[in-house]
Amino acid sequence: MIILGGLAGLLISGLLAFFILTPKYSSQAQLVVTLPQTETTNANDVNTNLQMINTYKDIITGDLVTKEVSEKLSSEYGLKMSTNDLKETIKVEQNQNSQMFSIIATSNSPRAAANISNMTAEIFKANAKDVLNVDRISIISQAVASSDPVFPNKKLTIAAGLLVGLMIGIFLAVALELLDRTVKESKTLTDEFGLTLLGNIPELTQKELNAKIRREPAPTITKREVPKKETDMTLDRRRRKRV
């Protein structure tokens, strides 16, 4: 039961990973916010700049940027996406205490993911300059299409399927063992039920049974001997019929 459970888990997870689940691809464009090159730049300016990145995140996923990105993607690439779809597709990540952040887009198509990320980065840069009067944002890395999907993780999915299958097999094996009320040993009859054991009848396997049949001699058929008196009477009757 445990082995069958593991094999079933492998089979189901393999089907999900390779044939059923739709692969998703991810691309990211990297941006950096630079400080103004002045002699009075200090640690407070750096902290203020880092805190402003949270504001940049809100602008990137806000209606102002996503609406314009949706229109540009439709006109330039023929990719029709609503603002809500873009908000679910776009994610902004920042390393701790870093002035660099990434705009990550995830899509069923690797080319679409790269186009969404690059378009969002360009439109955000333009809007940040107009809305926040910030012109220190630079795109340092354009998003490129990746041929490796980020979902599903095939190795992880198969390993999880194997683990779940084994756990289900163990659970079923234990449950069947606990629910099995049949008597398997003669000791159960004497100890639990207080019965007297009269004897045991061994069970022969098919191999033992065949060997036993080969050892026993086959019965022989002997010709029945007819008494002489009975033979003489039969001859007399045949003679009378002829006469």
Side-chain angles (χ1 to χ4, degrees), residues 117-153:
S117 182
N118 288 327
M119 185 65 68
T120 304
E122 293 175 2
I123 292 177
F124 162 69
K125 181 180 178 181
N127 278 273
K129 184 176 181 180
D130 296 337
V131 176
L132 300 176
N133 196 20
V134 176
D135 57 355
R136 300 188 302 273
I137 299 176
S138 303
I139 301 175
I140 62 173
S141 176
Q142 292 282 342
V144 295
S146 174
S147 59
D148 298 326
V150 295
F151 175 85
N153 188 330

Side-chain angles (χ1 to χ4, degrees), residues 40-60:
T40 59
T41 301
N42 52 36
N44 291 330
D45 294 332
V46 175
N47 293 331
T48 301
N49 207 24
L50 292 175
Q51 293 174 2
M52 282 296 295
I53 294 181
N54 293 324
T55 304
Y56 301 154
K57 293 179 181 179
D58 295 334
I59 294 176
I60 291 172

Side-chain angles (χ1 to χ4, degrees), residues 4-30:
L4 289 176
L7 291 177
L10 277 177
L11 178 61
I12 294 174
S13 60
L15 291 175
L16 288 174
F18 289 94
F19 300 104
I20 297 177
L21 295 177
T22 303
K24 293 184 180 297
Y25 301 87
S26 178
S27 294
Q28 64 176 3
Q30 292 182 326

Side-chain angles (χ1 to χ4, degrees), residues 206-223:
Q206 187 64 37
K207 184 177 180 180
E208 294 172 340
L209 186 60
N210 294 336
K212 185 176 180 62
I213 292 174
R214 287 194 297 268
R215 287 197 301 267
E216 292 182 353
T220 57
I221 301 175
T222 58
K223 185 177 181 181

